[in-house]
Amino acid sequence: MSEEKLMSKKKPAYPVSKRLDGYLHKYSRKIEIPIFYEDLLRFSGSVVVYDDDENDTLWVRVYYSDFEREEIDLSLKKVYSILHSDGSDRILEYLNIDAIDYCTFGNSKPFRIKVRNILNDNYTYFYVKKTDASRVYGLELEHILSPYNLNFLVYEDTLIEEHITGVPGDVFIKDMLPNCTEAEKAQLAKEFVKFNERCMIRLLGDMRSYNYVIVPTHDFDHVVYKIRAIDFDQQCFEGKLKVYRPQFFKENFQMVELVRTKLQKYSVDQYKIEERSIVAKRILSSGNRIKRLMGIARMDNISLPENIERLKLEIYDLTKDINFKKSNTMGEVLSLALDFVRRNYEDMSMKQILGNGA
């Protein structure tokens, strides 16, 4: 299936509703910041950013007039302090804004801010984007349901995201995968199965290879690889279920081949069950937080009527759960999908308890 047929040409940005805004405030996601996305658009010019092989990265390094740069730098340092520290001005004198890059590719058109500690030259990044309800739901679900915590802030029309470290999937597949050992390839295949399942469960779409990172961790005498999403723009918007399964994007063909050649069907099924169980446990342990978020999502407008209609029927065909057919919003579809996973886990756990009791 071609990418044009799989994905909509452009997803609209959805505003944050009053109820979602209240949720963000309750969980300390909504904090006043000293600069807005629109302020960063006032750059005077830009130069193309190339990678080490002189390829265009689709990012441009922007610059501002001397007067505006001084004000913008100070505001961005304050944002860093709010995001990563206690929000005070004490650390500002030790920070430098090394670069402000603007991405010309994709829906979100983010700014990437490089912040350096001048005492030791350590540096990190954060992103400034336009607020979009889809992305906010995606970030919050990643924080609650994935193995990773996420730090982000929302203030009116501006979204601040922390940087997620790792090797971009497309770079890893091209430059590093060929040099992996057979054992490492098998481990990557396992992680891709689990990542594929996790995306489908929580309806996170468009996980092409440049929208996730591979995170290598050295553990004794070997390297353990994990896969993390880095783009949450396509959270429960599209109507095609395949969009929420990374295996169907051509950019992930080599990862799918790893699964085919390195894992037996029994192992694939085992890893899927493992991931569903882990997500179910996180749903149960999240308590009222996920319930509040889903209650808001069920009443929110975050997709198109035709997408809702198609997706609920495709998921019904997969699960045979009649409740999906009754859904009227994408939030209802998402909530039912998570509830379906939770109920199946609880039913299986109860059967094991009763079986052991017998």
Side-chain angles (χ1 to χ4, degrees), residues 68-301:
E68 287 202 317
R69 182 63 194 241
E70 184 177 345
E71 180 182 354
I72 285 172
D73 278 12
L74 178 60
S75 296
L76 291 173
K77 291 177 189 178
K78 290 180 178 178
V79 169
Y80 174 89
S81 179
I82 295 169
L83 185 66
H84 289 292
S85 187
D86 59 1
S88 70
D89 293 346
R90 289 176 295 177
I91 65 172
L92 301 188
E93 61 180 306
Y94 306 117
L95 302 177
N96 190 71
I97 305 300
D98 277 11
I100 303 174
D101 297 335
Y102 178 62
C103 184
T104 57
F105 175 73
N107 282 334
S108 59
K109 299 288 193 298
F111 285 92
R112 181 178 61 197
I113 315 301
K114 182 179 180 180
V115 185
R116 178 171 55 89
N117 185 310
I118 62 176
L119 297 179
N120 52 37
D121 278 342
N122 284 331
Y123 63 88
T124 188
Y125 299 91
F126 67 85
Y127 297 86
V128 182
K129 302 179 179 180
K130 288 280 287 182
T131 301
D132 174 21
S134 300
R135 192 173 294 110
V136 170
Y137 282 116
L139 288 164
E140 190 65 10
L141 285 168
E142 180 76 2
H143 178 77
I144 297 172
L145 299 181
S146 84
Y148 315 104
N149 292 330
L150 270 185
N151 196 9
F152 69 94
L153 303 171
V154 179
Y155 184 59
E156 296 184 8
D157 292 332
T158 299
L159 172 66
I160 308 295
E161 286 182 31
E162 70 176 347
H163 176 64
I164 298 173
T165 59
V167 182
D170 54 340
V171 175
F172 185 93
I173 290 170
K174 177 176 176 290
D175 297 335
M176 301 177 70
L177 182 59
N179 299 319
C180 287
T181 66
E182 296 307 306
E184 288 172 340
K185 289 178 180 178
Q187 203 254 327
L188 280 161
K190 169 188 172 182
E191 289 304 315
F192 188 77
V193 170
K194 293 169 78 72
F195 178 66
N196 191 76
E197 194 70 11
R198 188 160 69 244
C199 290
M200 183 180 69
I201 290 170
R202 44 81 58 96
L203 300 183
L204 177 62
D206 193 19
M207 282 298 107
R208 286 172 281 188
S209 56
Y210 48 77
N211 286 333
Y212 60 80
V213 293
I214 310 291
V215 185
T217 303
H218 291 267
D219 182 30
F220 294 106
D221 58 349
H222 68 291
V223 179
V224 176
Y225 295 96
K226 299 293 183 182
I227 303 178
R228 291 192 64 178
I230 60 172
D231 192 332
F232 304 93
D233 179 60
Q234 290 286 344
Q235 175 63 53
C236 58
F237 168 75
E238 293 283 350
K240 306 178 187 70
L241 186 57
K242 285 185 176 181
V243 172
Y244 305 105
R245 304 176 74 180
Q247 69 187 81
F248 287 106
F249 288 100
K250 67 179 187 296
E251 291 86 351
N252 295 326
F253 173 76
Q254 287 176 266
M255 299 298 284
V256 175
E257 279 295 289
L258 281 187
V259 174
R260 186 183 67 81
T261 58
K262 295 297 180 184
L263 302 180
Q264 297 180 5
K265 184 181 185 303
Y266 174 82
S267 295
V268 171
D269 293 340
Q270 173 196 338
Y271 296 141
K272 287 181 178 180
I273 292 170
E274 285 181 9
E275 193 60 31
R276 289 176 206 149
S277 299
I278 290 171
V279 171
K281 289 175 184 177
R282 292 195 182 105
I283 293 170
L284 290 168
S285 65
S286 66
N288 288 331
R289 185 162 184 162
I290 190 74
K291 291 178 183 177
R292 285 194 181 100
L293 187 66
M294 289 301 96
I296 295 164
R298 283 195 294 267
M299 299 176 64
D300 213 343
N301 175 31

